[in-house]
Amino acid sequence: MRVVILCGGESSERDVSLASGPSVARALLERGGHEVVLVDPSAEVPVLAGPLRPGDAVDGFSVAKEPPSLSEQQQWRRRMYAALTGGPVLDLLCEAEAVFLALHGGWGEDGHVQALLEMAGVPFTGAGSAACAAAWHKGRAQAVLGAVGLPVVERALWRPGDGDVPEDVARLVAAGPVVAKPVADGSSVSVYRVDSLSQLDRAAVEVRSRGVELLVEPFLPGREFTVAVVGDQVLPVVEIELTTPVWDYAAKYQPGAVSEVCPARVPAAFASRMQELALHAHRALGFDGDSYSRTDFRCDTGGEPMCLEVNALPGLTATSLLPLAAAGAGWTYPDLIQRILDLATR
């Protein structure tokens, strides 16, 4: 099968995506039967490698300690737009038998790229454009999840610069502590624990520069978990044991800042409940049996799991949470990648 892997891109998660792409390529080559082209639509030279065939080596990328700057993201976005709307990259995509999306965040996860591929009639991995858009905006996604009866926290949105702090935001902060973060971003970029309105200023300034709303929600002091769904199969629960107050970008990619346990050391009934919630969330946002997702939970003071968000294109490096959950189900990393590809092309 001719497979084009899209990675890199223009988002704050570019480095993570550049690590996922080669991992996916190596897995497909190990499985055999595929011709693989690795493409970064935001690079000056978009074709990173390929056509690759079984036995070919694939170079990897490392994840930087800090996310890229906004000016870098803007530059990459201009290149990505040009690459995906005409020229050799678009030709490669249209000629592919399948496109494997190893893009995380930004246009790669919010539905933009999915819509382009839908218009081109090219099979691609993961959810469709509508489901991706629904999941990407955390405020709207939580509203949908709450409307279908899933446990979510109270939340408030504020676009910094549009007047004073709204009353609902101020009330949550006063009852604090809260977590403040961009309503649409990934890899826990610009996530802050806030204990007062004065501390809210730092988060507000940064989110304003990104041009998105600020999401404010109560800080949950309990344990943190994540549950993946691949097709119609729910994978084992993963617990994320933090050594930092919040699980931000630095914690995710700083060695020793977090310990991930799969299967989570919880009673079977508790694990089963979170798996049911994850599958419900997956379906409520429009993810179907041909897609995959990963739902994040954190427990409140009473130990009840609350749905925080649903990730449409979670990380796919060999050490990411989704591959860890897959290993807990007895799948190898190449097994997981082949299953995701099969869902897109069956």
Side-chain angles (χ1 to χ4, degrees), residues 31 134 201 224 226 258 325:
R31 293 285 298 198
D201 290 343
E224 187 150 349
T226 191
V258 64

Side-chain angles (χ1 to χ4, degrees), residues 46-62:
V47 178
L48 302 179
L52 299 166
R53 295 175 178 84
D56 291 342
V58 184
D59 294 332
F61 295 84
S62 58

Side-chain angles (χ1 to χ4, degrees), residues 222-235:
R223 299 164 72 179
E224 187 150 349
F225 303 93
T226 191
V227 183
V229 177
V230 178
D232 291 320
Q233 184 164 349
V234 188
L235 301 187

Side-chain angles (χ1 to χ4, degrees), residues 217-303:
E217 60 189 16
F219 172 77
L220 299 176
R223 299 164 72 179
E224 187 150 349
F225 303 93
T226 191
V227 183
V229 177
V230 178
D232 291 320
Q233 184 164 349
V234 188
L235 301 187
V237 178
V238 178
E239 180 167 10
I240 302 150
E241 298 178 344
L242 303 176
T243 60
T244 57
V246 293
W247 195 24
D248 57 10
Y249 187 95
K252 281 191 173 183
Y253 306 112
Q254 176 183 325
V258 64
S259 175
E260 296 151 354
V261 181
C262 182
R265 295 185 288 261
V266 295
F270 186 80
S272 178
R273 178 163 181 246
M274 277 194 291
Q275 289 175 311
E276 290 174 1
L277 292 174
L279 184 59
H280 194 179
H282 177 91
R283 291 172 174 168
L285 291 176
F287 292 76
D288 58 24
D290 294 335
S291 58
Y292 65 101
S293 70
R294 201 198 74 223
T295 300
D296 297 336
F297 299 89
R298 190 151 181 158
C299 295
D300 62 15
T301 53

